[in-house]
Amino acid sequence: MKFRTEINIDRADQTIQHIDPIITLGSCFAENISKALKEHYFHVLENPFGVLYNPLSIERALRFIIEDKTFTQNDLIFHQQEWHSFWHHSSFSHHDAQVCLHNINTAIQQAHHFLKKARWLIVTFGTAFVYFLKKQKTAVANCHKLPETEFERRLISLAEITEPWLRLLDLLRQFNPQLKIIFSVSPIRHLRDGLPENQKSKATLILATHQLVDSSADYFYFPAYEIVLDDLRDYRFYEADLTHPNQQAVAYIWGKFKAMFFDRTTQQILKEMADFYKRTTHRFRNSASPSAKNFMTETEALRKMLLQKYPYLKQRDF
């Protein structure tokens, strides 16, 4: 007897190699995938604008990265004793405008150069509900606790997502012809508007991502939303807030991601990386004990062996 509808994942026509540079943008779920990639020593640039939830803000961020845009103080707002950017997460906000600008521009410059050489871009859409600044009629990534009266919040249409994104994809092909893109929809539910509205939002995102993926053989859809909502489908796989997948669910999703995008050679490398990472995060009750010193000596010998076996690791935090 079957008690759940497990999603079977077919391996993608093109797979990620351990040497490939990867850039991620999108919702906080993208951070879960980035964390897993980093723990296996992939070369990853994570969310250079901070966490972004809606497709229009992610599209705008990628355009800024391609353009290598330089922000000035005119691009910032001052609210509650801090400087903010409507296009960035609040992690970039600062009480000193120059520090804020330095962090923003440094991140964009780094992302511009990284995106130029990246092999993979992973994009995770979180919601189709978007805040628009009334004065400029522009979608914003973050309201930074400004009065709600300054914004209009609405569910964007399928065309409002696909039309700018198809133009962006043309730009990305020109900017980096080797780039492959993985789209996904975050399984984290946005319950502020209730379950029916959340479903409308997620359905819009799913339809949009499939239209984008269908436009090129270099684009892929990873069913993160479906894995959590249809496969796991149980509140024991959620955190206490009943919206965020817990570590068990994230590990399960990571397993599905590996099955789809890593060939046997890469999966074998990942086993070696996981074993090494486990050693580096081991905690000793007494680091001065003979057994601890022996363990650290063996770990350093393993590190040197892996560096010799995989020379590209020298360019990473390994």
Side-chain angles (χ1 to χ4, degrees), residues 298-311:
E298 291 176 350
T299 300
E300 180 59 20
L302 178 59
R303 187 184 74 85
K304 291 178 179 178
M305 184 274 288
L306 291 172
L307 284 170
Q308 186 175 12
K309 189 175 181 180
Y310 308 112

Side-chain angles (χ1 to χ4, degrees), residues 25 50 59 128 177-178 209 230 282:
L25 278 94
E59 186 265 349
Q178 70 177 355
T209 53
D230 294 321
H282 182 75

